[in-house]
Amino acid sequence: MSENRERILKLQEKMQELNIDMYLVPTADFHQSEYVGDYFKARKWLSGFSGSAGTLLVTDDQAYLWTDGRYFIQAAKELEDTGVTLMKMREPGVPTVDEFLEMNLVKGSCLACDGRVISVSQGKAYKKMMEDKEGRFYCQEDLLDGIWNDRPELSKEPAYLVDIKYVGTSREEKIEMVRRAMKKYEADVHILSSLDDIAWLLNIRGNDIIYNPVVLSYVIVKADEVTFYVQDGVVSDEIKNELEKAGVVLRPYFAIYEEVKTLAKDSKILLDEGVVNYTLFENLPEEVTTVNAMNPTKPAKAMKNAVEMENERIAHIKDARAMCRFIYWLKKTVPEGTVDEYNAAEKSREFREEDKDCLDLSFETICAYGSNAAMCHYAPSKEDCAKVESKGFFLIDSGGQYWQGTTDITRTIAVGPLSEEEKKHFTLVLKGNIRLAMAKFPYGVGGAHLDILARGALWDAGLDFNHGTGHGVGYLLNVHEGPQNINWNSGIRPGGMIPLEEGVLISDEPGLYLEGKYGIRCENLLMCKKAEKNDYAQFMNFEVVTLVPFEREAIIPELLGETELKWLNEYHKHVYEVVEPLLENKEEKEWLKEATAEIK
């Protein structure tokens, strides 16, 4: 019996003791973070599935794992011999988690989960579901306590401040902006629990989630004070003094759960029910009034100010130097037969870390050769990685955290001869990337409206990719940032209908994945900017801030339109002009000149 199966059996035994019929284990921490620290990786510990997104549901005799199209191949491999059934989200005939619960929970049954790892909106829905079934929703404890004996401790890495020269706006100004937003809702209390919003508000960063420079914490904003709930030892005396100058008072991390019980009964509380956890909400006095609305920090954080926009350009120039050096190294070294996916990932890290302003990577590097690249979020390990041969495609999706901002880039690189099919598919993906980058649109347009530009050439060929085209990117923060995105399916990704504002940094990353063969993705980051304003509208367009050449050897020029080819040649010319002076090696300079040469 596999270790994961044994763990699930132990959980099922505890469920039987408590008369629980189904137990939910989402991929979440107490803050609804996209990525979570080791303490919160209960779903991975139980099931063996290591992807960043998924929900495990354990019944009295079965277990089910829901994940999205990015992870179907990976999940099928990792769930072997665990007894866990893979539920492929959004595939025909596959119910959602909630639909499955509705169909299979009988009258008088009990659904359970740790109320701290689900949102208010989820908790309310599950509570109503069980009331309708005359059953019980039990969310008062984490059932893994006592089962997961070697569970990692909660991370409590030291926090650090971000200077105003990088972020352009002081914490005092940001706090005042939140208070103005509270007045619009006539709220006198705002509960903020999303870690990237807290980091942005207080101009503070940390290392409590790998690659995401955030601090495990909560914030309560009132008209006359701000309370910052954080673990002991995380905030130095120097930082504490700086925060106190802005009226920020420190309290222990878990103290918030008791202190919200003491809020005045006539309080009107602003909170985002999609983010604040259910246990925290349940601890509020019954008499208070709550207002469910998006945290005012979220759209403000997404719209980079002029200082941040200029710094992001600098960060991407730094990143371009590292990536160009990496691509040259890869092409030169692969024929020697010494390159595998793991040491390639480590080499890309080395090139980034040569820059003193690079603090870390922005996510786990995806280095995938051949068929491994068909697994959209595949990441190699030292023990399990493929050797890179002198043929076909190599895909690298990587990024860095710099003082000047966050980067995210994907390049699909020819490491040897390519088939005509590979070239055709690459060109169609690149065509989508270019079309989106060239977009000009009236203010009010959201990413869902633009998605066809990136997918159109693939759709015309009867092809598609099973992930979003674009996600927002934070400033020295999370590489995935809302509220906006580029995805035609606004029912699944509602941020696609939110207007793209000036200063939004968003990815442009169409792809194509053929299981067992290869994967292709071409990703740049785009900065949304105002174009001209006339009688029709305020028009918007994109500035491409990523400055790394696309693979010329994989392009079939005839498949690109005249304006697309013109755009590509101008882009490559700009890349050469900016990056060439930063390269010290003569051979690297010669490679870049060839890689950016005009395509006719």
Side-chain angles (χ1 to χ4, degrees):
M1 182 183 296
S2 73
E3 188 175 43
N4 294 107
R5 185 64 190 134
E6 289 180 357
R7 292 168 178 174
I8 290 171
L9 285 172
K10 288 181 180 179
L11 175 59
Q12 289 168 331
E13 289 173 6
K14 194 164 184 179
M15 290 167 59
Q16 290 170 6
E17 292 172 8
L18 296 169
N19 294 316
I20 292 169
D21 298 284
M22 295 188 183
Y23 189 73
L24 268 174
V25 186
T27 305
D29 57 15
F30 302 154
H31 309 272
Q32 295 299 304
S33 304
E34 179 183 13
Y35 301 106
V36 300
D38 290 343
Y39 175 88
F40 297 101
K41 293 181 179 177
R43 183 262 299 155
K44 177 184 177 182
W45 183 81
L46 281 167
S47 70
F49 170 59
S50 63
S52 67
T55 299
L56 179 69
L57 177 65
V58 180
T59 71
D60 56 354
D61 61 352
Q62 299 289 329
Y64 304 87
L65 188 284
W66 279 260
T67 192
D68 60 59
R70 297 173 295 169
Y71 296 110
F72 289 165
I73 302 171
Q74 177 183 339
K77 180 179 178 181
E78 292 181 338
L79 294 177
E80 287 179 4
D81 302 322
T82 65
V84 179
T85 300
L86 174 60
M87 307 292 280
K88 297 182 177 181
M89 292 170 62
R90 296 186 283 278
E91 291 294 289
V94 178
T96 65
V97 176
D98 290 356
E99 288 169 347
F100 185 93
L101 293 172
E102 188 65 55
M103 291 186 293
N104 291 279
L105 282 165
V106 299
K107 184 177 179 180
S109 56
C110 176
L111 170 66
C113 68
D114 180 355
R116 297 171 299 177
V117 296
I118 60 170
S119 68
V120 177
S121 56
Q122 290 172 311
K124 284 183 172 181
Y126 293 142
K127 183 178 180 180
K128 183 178 187 306
M129 179 187 295
M130 299 318 297
E131 287 174 346
D132 292 344
K133 293 179 180 291
E134 299 178 20
R136 182 166 60 109
F137 178 45
Y138 181 72
C139 57
Q140 283 71 41
E141 66 176 298
D142 181 353
L143 295 196
L144 269 70
D145 290 343
I147 298 175
W148 191 356
N149 295 321
D150 58 348
R151 188 172 194 165
E153 296 292 322
L154 271 179
S155 175
K156 49 189 304 184
E157 292 290 312
Y160 57 95
L161 298 179
V162 187
D163 195 278
I164 191 91
K165 69 181 180 181
Y166 295 120
V167 294
T169 306
S170 69
R171 62 185 62 87
E172 288 89 347
E173 292 173 293
K174 293 177 178 180
I175 290 168
E176 195 52 43
M177 179 277 296
V178 169
R179 286 178 172 144
R180 288 195 299 271
M182 289 167 61
K183 288 180 180 179
K184 292 180 181 179
Y185 293 104
E186 299 180 342
D188 42 30
V189 178
H190 177 41
I191 297 176
L192 190 60
S193 66
S194 44
L195 303 182
D196 55 334
D197 289 303
I198 292 170
W200 179 86
L201 178 68
L202 301 181
N203 286 343
I204 197 168
R205 301 293 189 270
N207 291 293
D208 282 335
I209 298 179
I210 189 169
Y211 309 127
N212 294 350
V214 295
V215 180
L216 287 176
S217 55
Y218 303 91
V219 160
I220 291 182
V221 181
K222 296 181 181 178
D224 56 351
E225 67 179 9
V226 177
T227 309
F228 182 35
Y229 296 88
V230 64
Q231 295 181 88
D232 291 341
V234 169
V235 176
S236 67
D237 290 341
E238 178 187 357
I239 296 175
K240 181 181 178 181
N241 292 336
E242 286 298 313
L243 293 174
E244 286 177 347
K245 291 176 184 176
V248 179
V249 177
L250 271 63
R251 293 284 293 138
Y253 178 63
F254 284 107
I256 189 172
Y257 287 92
E258 290 301 314
E259 292 187 3
V260 294
K261 294 178 181 178
T262 67
L263 289 171
K265 292 179 172 55
D266 60 351
S267 295
K268 190 171 186 180
I269 301 170
L270 173 65
L271 54 82
D272 187 339
E273 292 190 358
V275 178
V276 170
N277 76 56
Y278 186 61
T279 297
L280 197 57
F281 177 80
E282 283 287 279
N283 283 7
L284 295 174
E286 289 185 11
E287 299 85 351
V288 303
T289 302
T290 59
V291 180
N292 175 28
M294 181 187 294
N295 293 327
T297 48
K298 195 164 293 294
K301 173 166 55 69
M303 292 182 282
K304 313 300 183 285
N305 59 43
V307 171
E308 291 171 321
M309 290 170 74
E310 184 55 32
N311 279 329
E312 280 287 0
R313 295 182 183 102
I314 295 169
H316 280 82
I317 292 172
K318 291 172 175 286
D319 210 58
R321 177 183 183 274
M323 280 302 300
C324 286
R325 295 198 67 206
F326 170 79
I327 296 172
Y328 168 75
W329 170 86
L330 183 74
K331 285 178 171 285
K332 181 185 73 170
T333 312
V334 163
E336 298 175 5
T338 59
V339 179
D340 61 41
E341 295 165 329
Y342 181 78
N343 62 35
E346 289 299 293
K347 195 68 178 179
S348 70
R349 176 192 280 272
E350 284 180 29
F351 284 125
R352 280 194 170 91
E353 290 181 344
E354 287 179 1
D355 194 296
K356 61 180 176 59
D357 287 337
C358 182
L359 306 179
D360 198 356
L361 303 183
S362 57
F363 56 96
E364 184 177 24
T365 299
I366 298 168
C367 272
Y369 173 66
S371 61
N372 284 343
M375 293 183 277
C376 187
H377 277 217
Y378 166 88
S381 67
K382 192 172 184 179
E383 298 75 28
D384 185 12
C385 61
K387 181 180 178 181
V388 182
E389 302 175 24
S390 295
K391 62 179 179 179
F393 279 135
F394 175 91
L395 185 151
I396 177 168
D397 186 349
S398 64
Q401 297 284 12
Y402 299 83
W403 283 113
Q404 294 83 6
T406 302
T407 68
D408 180 5
I409 173 177
T410 308
R411 287 296 181 266
T412 305
I413 304 160
V415 288
L418 301 174
S419 69
E420 284 304 304
E421 179 191 66
E422 287 171 322
K423 291 180 180 180
K424 177 183 176 182
H425 286 162
F426 179 92
T427 308
L428 293 178
V429 171
L430 177 60
K431 189 180 184 77
N433 176 283
I434 294 171
R435 284 181 173 180
L436 180 57
M438 292 171 60
K440 188 175 182 180
F441 49 94
Y443 175 79
V445 164
H449 304 112
L450 301 178
D451 201 10
I452 191 171
L453 296 174
R455 295 181 190 262
L458 290 167
W459 285 353
D460 289 344
L463 302 167
D464 201 1
F465 52 95
N466 199 358
H467 59 73
T469 296
H471 57 83
V473 177
Y475 183 95
L476 186 49
L477 269 175
N478 297 355
V479 75
H480 293 158
E481 176 180 278
Q484 67 293 307
N485 62 56
I486 299 175
N487 192 323
W488 65 269
N489 197 333
S490 57
I492 296 170
R493 303 289 183 188
M497 300 304 291
I498 293 174
L500 292 166
E501 303 277 357
E502 184 168 53
V504 162
L505 185 65
I506 198 162
S507 68
D508 172 3
E509 50 181 313
L512 184 65
Y513 311 92
L514 278 66
E515 185 173 350
K517 297 179 73 174
Y518 52 83
I520 299 166
R521 188 159 63 252
C522 295
E523 178 187 17
N524 282 341
L525 294 193
L526 310 176
M527 188 81 75
C528 189
K529 297 177 65 179
K530 290 180 180 178
E532 73 269 23
K533 184 177 182 179
N534 56 31
D535 291 343
Y536 298 103
Q538 169 65 67
F539 281 89
M540 314 292 290
N541 59 13
F542 293 121
E543 172 189 347
V544 181
V545 293
T546 306
L547 297 173
V548 177
F550 290 106
E551 182 57 81
R552 292 179 79 255
E553 296 175 39
I555 297 171
I556 301 176
E558 294 77 20
L559 293 181
L560 296 177
E562 183 179 343
T563 55
E564 295 159 0
L565 188 59
K566 181 175 182 290
W567 182 96
L568 180 61
N569 283 327
E570 289 177 352
Y571 173 73
H572 277 166
K573 180 183 178 182
H574 180 55
V575 168
Y576 181 77
E577 290 172 347
V578 173
V579 180
E580 189 272 344
L582 305 177
L583 301 177
E584 299 172 4
N585 184 298
K586 180 182 177 182
E587 288 75 19
E588 290 173 346
K589 291 175 178 282
E590 290 175 350
W591 166 80
L592 184 63
K593 185 174 183 179
E594 183 178 339
T596 57
E598 184 178 4
I599 301 172
K600 298 180 180 179

